[in-house]
Amino acid sequence: MSLIRTREESYINLNPLQTGGRTNAEVRLTAASFVDGYSVCDYCKGVLHLIEKPSICELTKDLAEFLGMDEARLTLGCREGKFAVMHALLSVQGAIVVDSNRHYSTYVAVERANGKIYEVENTGYPEYEIRPEAYRWVFEQVLEETKKPPELALLTHVDGDYGNLVDAYEVGKICQEYGVPFLLNAAYTAGRMEVNGKKLLADFVVVSAHKGFGVPGTIGVLAISEKWRERLFRKSIKYPKKDIELLGCTARGGAAACLITALPYVKERVKHWNEEIEKARWFVEKMEALGDIEQLGIKPTKHDLIRLKTPLLNKIAQKDRKKGYFLYHELEKRGITGIKPGQTEWFKLSTYGLTWEQVKYLYGAFEEIKDGNRSATI
Amino acid sequence: MSLIRTREESYINLNPLQTGGRTNAEVRLTAASFVDGYSVCDYCKGVLHLIEKPSICELTKDLAEFLGMDEARLTLGCREGKFAVMHALLSVQGAIVVDSNRHYSTYVAVERANGKIYEVENTGYPEYEIRPEAYRWVFEQVLEETKKPPELALLTHVDGDYGNLVDAYEVGKICQEYGVPFLLNAAYTAGRMEVNGKKLLADFVVVSAHKGFGVPGTIGVLAISEKWRERLFRKSIKYPKKDIELLGCTARGGAAACLITALPYVKERVKHWNEEIEKARWFVEKMEALGDIEQLGIKPTKHDLIRLKTPLLNKIAQKDRKKGYFLYHELEKRGITGIKPGQTEWFKLSTYGLTWEQVKYLYGAFEEIKDGNRSATI
């Protein structure tokens, strides 16, 4: 029996994981047409990125250009791209410097690659900011401890906890100064806003297409600068078309065809990034004005991923029969989903891709919940 | 603009990569419903294999049982499963013994894991058989060279060149005798025929679901026996739910939901494996009776993947205006696809999932091509 999931047409989905990965009608048609396993391999040319029909060879060139890098390959997602870079660059217990706002998969990828992690701390409550200059301090610490620079530095361009945008160019400059290869995790930026890896002085850019390019998963991009080609895309001795770090072919399914369909839309949507920020800022301002609600992370926000501390809602929850679950249910009644059931002290949401009308409806829902519950408890 | 691919409803697709990965209507409905990126993560429980809605937690238990193993995880495909095992088990330049009929990705995965490969040769033309006893000889060679047993042995249960089924149990016995962990690559068997890893004495079974379980890609299964749990599924120090070798979560997209839908159908279809072999054997017999056509690999075949040496068709090609491409075009005219354009000296095809009517139609097409071309050149 088939499984049915309520999609965004009928519900507003606030889950930050998902707002940038929603597919449009064109992409869904491609997905339906390429639904069978190995569907993109009808006209295999020996390796995924050389396939001409569908035109994955053009896609990878387009992606390299779109990300401002020299060469790109499809991956199975962002974490798989990160691991590929780490696996290619890190020696046993080699030092890698990462920001402390990094995704858990960055940490796990370092563990798998058997590297040694050094973290750049954020500034703590309430902004939890990663300041580029802090990379310098950690580089110095590594130099002192190991007598050599780190083997790799990773920056989470926008993190998944606070939606903080970091000045990647400033981090890139410090990396250049110390001769440290620079890996930019653009999971929450590429596909939403313009990301030009070279302008940001990145050696590697990794991307999650199912998170940021409006396609089904799992698929990502690893884009690199020329000088790393031999190292990252080293070929099998016996199979000279096959990239060892990619095990030959990565996203060998319908998602690759979907990305071809999605890319023109993505190129267009990044031009409208300012509107997305406007919506997010408007929403934050209105929510804070409800009282006893505070946006965490840098202010005003520069991203659609919003983290709110919500004592207001937590107090209501204490008095509600459903306790912490009241908020989830109240939102659900209003056709809104994507906030974790049980959360009321704080939560994350994303306004990405919502129309102004939807953002206003969303705020209205919280206003109603506040008022409705207040009147019920007076 | 969306991309359209002609699907199997209108064409008979002979590509062996694809015949076991064709989706049914129920699976396509699930795929359409879970088309958005990260769609299965609505109710995340901290890691993919614990998600209850859709029921991936039940799915992984079912898969372990279906494959006759103790525990299973989703992977992003068969090669990713192989690499995970190799990465967890092999030391630097550690010896791994594999059959010479292995897929290229086995070789590339060993290169990526930095292991040293020792190959068990097949018997050469015309059967290209892997004899279990030959594993013993190679184990002895490794013992002599390195003074210790290999760190891992891999068997390709059925290979992708000849469709040869190897007696995995006999290989398993030799592995046990030498104390060598045994990895069974069931990409071309699991989902088609019954595969019980424990009965075959396997320590690890890797599966390609987009190749063998009728679901969109990319997704696979890694099933292991109890004693390898700590090693293969070791957890992150900081994130105790996350499997390091899997980078936390693997097939975090609609394919996981599709596999839930597909599994009951797959459980049913493996019961009809004998009919699939009957069809393949009938087809081979008829093709050989056309004259100057020879099936390579063990005979009679035990699998739907059929490799034919076809001097008959090659001779026709020499005289045809389209040369080697004539066969591809002749088949296409008859609604048949999946044989590589340009091939006439030999080719691979798979009859898996075709009805008897379709198999007869397929043979009829070759008969027509032979006769039609003969009459044209007399």
Side-chain angles (χ1 to χ4, degrees):
Chain A
M1 208 183 64
S2 62
L3 300 174
I4 301 299
R5 173 181 180 250
T6 306
R7 288 192 73 261
E8 80 286 355
E9 282 91 349
S10 47
Y11 270 62
I12 291 177
N13 190 341
L14 303 177
N15 190 336
L17 265 186
Q18 298 178 348
T19 53
R22 286 190 286 225
T23 52
N24 66 25
E26 295 287 339
V27 169
R28 294 204 291 277
L29 266 175
T30 298
S33 192
F34 283 80
V35 70
D36 291 343
Y38 274 125
S39 55
V40 293
C41 304
D42 286 328
Y43 305 94
C44 177
K45 292 270 176 178
V47 74
L48 186 66
H49 67 269
L50 297 182
I51 290 174
E52 290 169 6
K53 189 185 169 187
S55 185
I56 298 172
C57 58
E58 285 304 316
L59 173 67
T60 45
K61 280 180 206 156
D62 279 2
L63 286 166
E65 198 192 325
F66 180 63
L67 296 167
M69 300 298 281
D70 295 316
E71 198 158 336
R73 294 282 191 279
L74 298 180
T75 66
L76 285 155
C78 203
R79 66 190 71 188
E80 288 79 5
K82 287 185 283 193
F83 177 70
V85 176
M86 293 173 192
H87 189 253
L89 264 68
L90 296 182
S91 63
V92 175
Q93 288 297 298
I96 172 172
V97 174
V98 309
D99 60 287
S100 63
N101 288 351
R102 85 260 164 319
H103 192 245
Y104 83 81
S105 65
T106 295
Y107 189 92
V108 176
V110 176
E111 286 181 293
R112 191 183 192 199
N114 203 5
K116 188 172 175 193
I117 209 162
Y118 291 79
E119 286 197 351
V120 175
E121 290 304 318
N122 64 39
T123 56
Y125 175 85
E127 296 213 309
Y128 303 94
E129 191 181 347
I130 297 292
R131 298 214 173 122
E133 198 59 18
Y135 271 80
R136 181 188 301 280
W137 311 334
V138 181
F139 287 0
E140 287 293 338
Q141 183 200 338
V142 172
L143 269 168
E144 203 178 301
E145 273 185 34
T146 70
K147 311 299 168 207
K148 52 186 184 178
E151 294 173 0
L152 184 64
L154 178 146
L155 171 67
T156 313
H157 201 187
V158 161
D159 72 275
D161 278 327
Y162 310 102
N164 282 352
L165 177 69
V166 185
D167 189 336
Y169 173 72
E170 289 300 323
V171 175
K173 275 204 300 192
I174 298 167
C175 287
Q176 280 200 342
E177 190 187 325
Y178 284 79
V180 178
F182 178 29
L183 166 57
L184 184 68
N185 176 359
Y188 268 116
T189 50
R192 284 170 146 87
M193 53 182 272
E194 199 199 313
V195 175
N196 186 302
K198 273 207 181 152
K199 283 190 190 161
L200 301 175
L201 308 179
D203 295 277
F204 318 98
V205 177
V206 289
V207 161
S208 168
H210 50 269
K211 197 183 248 172
F213 283 64
V215 293
T218 56
I219 187 166
V221 186
L222 165 59
I224 67 169
S225 67
E226 175 72 36
K227 72 176 206 190
W228 293 101
R229 185 178 290 158
E230 296 304 310
R231 186 90 173 262
L232 255 287
F233 300 149
R234 74 192 166 103
K235 300 293 184 282
S236 165
I237 291 170
K238 210 157 186 165
Y239 302 94
K241 282 186 176 177
K242 311 289 188 183
D243 293 314
I244 291 175
E245 276 304 339
L246 307 177
L247 296 174
C249 304
T250 54
R252 51 203 184 278
C258 289
L259 194 47
I260 296 173
T261 300
L263 193 53
Y265 294 95
V266 170
K267 284 180 180 173
E268 182 58 33
R269 82 186 195 184
V270 297
K271 294 179 194 162
H272 304 281
W273 177 235
N274 278 341
E275 291 170 42
E276 295 296 336
I277 297 178
E278 266 179 59
K279 281 182 276 179
R281 287 181 179 176
W282 180 88
F283 178 73
V284 167
E285 202 176 298
K286 296 292 279 183
M287 288 293 280
E288 289 191 333
L290 287 177
D292 232 5
I293 287 182
E294 180 191 12
Q295 182 226 316
L296 301 181
I298 53 175
K299 294 181 79 165
T301 183
K302 294 176 180 171
H303 199 265
D304 56 272
L305 189 153
I306 298 162
R307 182 165 180 143
L308 297 175
K309 201 177 150 193
T310 51
L312 172 74
L313 298 167
N314 198 44
K315 277 175 213 155
I316 299 174
Q318 304 308 319
K319 298 181 185 162
D320 193 281
R321 193 173 51 82
K322 292 204 175 85
K323 296 289 171 196
Y325 292 88
F326 99 98
L327 179 63
Y328 182 81
H329 288 287
E330 287 295 325
L331 290 172
E332 198 179 34
K333 276 197 270 179
R334 291 165 174 88
I336 298 163
T337 189
I339 285 186
K340 289 209 171 130
Q343 282 189 331
T344 50
E345 288 185 62
W346 64 270
F347 52 81
K348 296 190 294 186
L349 79 160
S350 160
T351 51
Y352 189 77
L354 298 184
T355 61
W356 268 110
E357 204 181 5
Q358 286 173 314
V359 178
K360 285 173 184 170
Y361 174 80
L362 177 65
Y363 164 69
F366 281 100
E367 203 178 21
E368 265 180 37
I369 290 166
K370 179 195 168 190
D371 291 345
N373 276 280
R374 272 204 180 157
S375 58
T377 53
I378 278 167
Chain B
M1 208 182 64
S2 63
L3 301 173
I4 301 299
R5 172 181 181 250
T6 306
R7 288 192 73 261
E8 80 285 356
E9 282 90 347
S10 47
Y11 271 63
I12 292 177
N13 190 340
L14 303 177
N15 190 336
L17 265 186
Q18 298 179 349
T19 53
R22 285 190 287 224
T23 52
N24 66 24
E26 294 287 340
V27 170
R28 293 203 292 278
L29 266 176
T30 298
S33 193
F34 283 81
V35 69
D36 289 344
Y38 274 124
S39 55
V40 293
C41 304
D42 286 328
Y43 304 95
C44 177
K45 292 271 175 178
V47 74
L48 186 66
H49 67 270
L50 297 182
I51 290 174
E52 290 169 5
K53 189 184 169 189
S55 186
I56 298 172
C57 57
E58 285 305 317
L59 172 68
T60 45
K61 281 180 206 154
D62 279 3
L63 287 166
E65 198 191 326
F66 180 63
L67 296 167
M69 301 297 280
D70 295 316
E71 198 158 336
R73 294 282 191 279
L74 298 180
T75 66
L76 284 155
C78 202
R79 66 190 70 188
E80 288 80 4
K82 288 185 282 191
F83 176 70
V85 176
M86 292 173 192
H87 188 252
L89 264 69
L90 296 182
S91 63
V92 174
Q93 288 297 297
I96 172 171
V97 175
V98 309
D99 60 287
S100 63
N101 288 352
R102 86 250 159 335
H103 192 245
Y104 84 81
S105 66
T106 295
Y107 189 92
V108 176
V110 176
E111 286 179 292
R112 192 183 191 199
N114 203 6
K116 188 173 176 191
I117 209 162
Y118 292 78
E119 287 197 351
V120 175
E121 291 303 318
N122 65 38
T123 56
Y125 175 85
E127 296 212 312
Y128 302 94
E129 193 182 345
I130 297 293
R131 297 214 173 123
E133 197 59 18
Y135 271 80
R136 181 187 300 280
W137 312 334
V138 181
F139 286 0
E140 287 293 340
Q141 182 200 337
V142 171
L143 270 169
E144 203 178 302
E145 273 185 34
T146 70
K147 311 300 168 207
K148 52 185 184 180
E151 294 173 0
L152 185 64
L154 178 147
L155 171 67
T156 313
H157 201 187
V158 161
D159 71 275
D161 278 327
Y162 309 103
N164 282 351
L165 177 69
V166 185
D167 189 336
Y169 174 72
E170 289 299 322
V171 174
K173 276 204 297 193
I174 297 166
C175 287
Q176 280 200 341
E177 189 187 326
Y178 284 80
V180 178
F182 177 30
L183 166 57
L184 184 68
N185 176 359
Y188 268 117
T189 50
R192 285 169 145 87
M193 54 183 273
E194 199 199 314
V195 174
N196 186 304
K198 272 207 184 153
K199 283 191 190 161
L200 301 175
L201 308 179
D203 295 277
F204 317 98
V205 177
V206 289
V207 161
S208 168
H210 49 269
K211 197 184 246 171
F213 283 64
V215 294
T218 58
I219 187 167
V221 186
L222 165 59
I224 67 168
S225 67
E226 175 71 36
K227 73 176 204 189
W228 293 101
R229 186 177 290 159
E230 297 304 311
R231 186 90 174 260
L232 255 288
F233 300 149
R234 76 192 165 102
K235 300 293 183 284
S236 166
I237 291 172
K238 211 156 187 165
Y239 302 94
K241 283 186 176 179
K242 310 288 188 184
D243 294 314
I244 292 175
E245 277 303 339
L246 306 176
L247 297 173
C249 305
T250 55
R252 51 204 183 278
C258 290
L259 193 47
I260 295 174
T261 300
L263 192 55
Y265 293 96
V266 170
K267 284 180 181 173
E268 182 57 32
R269 82 185 194 183
V270 297
K271 294 179 194 161
H272 304 281
W273 177 235
N274 278 341
E275 291 170 41
E276 295 295 337
I277 297 177
E278 268 178 57
K279 282 182 276 179
R281 287 181 179 176
W282 180 88
F283 178 74
V284 167
E285 202 176 298
K286 297 292 280 184
M287 288 293 281
E288 289 192 333
L290 288 177
D292 231 4
I293 287 182
E294 179 190 13
Q295 182 226 316
L296 301 181
I298 54 175
K299 294 180 80 164
T301 182
K302 293 175 180 170
H303 198 266
D304 56 272
L305 188 153
I306 298 162
R307 182 165 179 143
L308 297 175
K309 201 179 149 193
T310 52
L312 172 73
L313 298 168
N314 199 43
K315 277 175 211 150
I316 299 173
Q318 304 308 318
K319 298 179 184 161
D320 194 280
R321 192 173 51 81
K322 292 205 175 83
K323 296 291 171 197
Y325 292 89
F326 100 99
L327 179 63
Y328 181 81
H329 287 287
E330 287 296 325
L331 290 172
E332 197 179 34
K333 276 197 271 181
R334 291 165 174 88
I336 298 163
T337 188
I339 286 185
K340 290 210 172 131
Q343 281 189 331
T344 51
E345 289 184 63
W346 64 270
F347 51 81
K348 296 191 293 188
L349 79 160
S350 159
T351 52
Y352 189 77
L354 298 184
T355 61
W356 269 110
E357 204 181 5
Q358 287 174 314
V359 178
K360 284 173 184 169
Y361 174 80
L362 177 65
Y363 165 69
F366 280 101
E367 203 178 20
E368 266 180 38
I369 290 167
K370 178 195 168 189
D371 292 344
N373 277 281
R374 272 206 179 152
S375 59
T377 54
I378 276 167

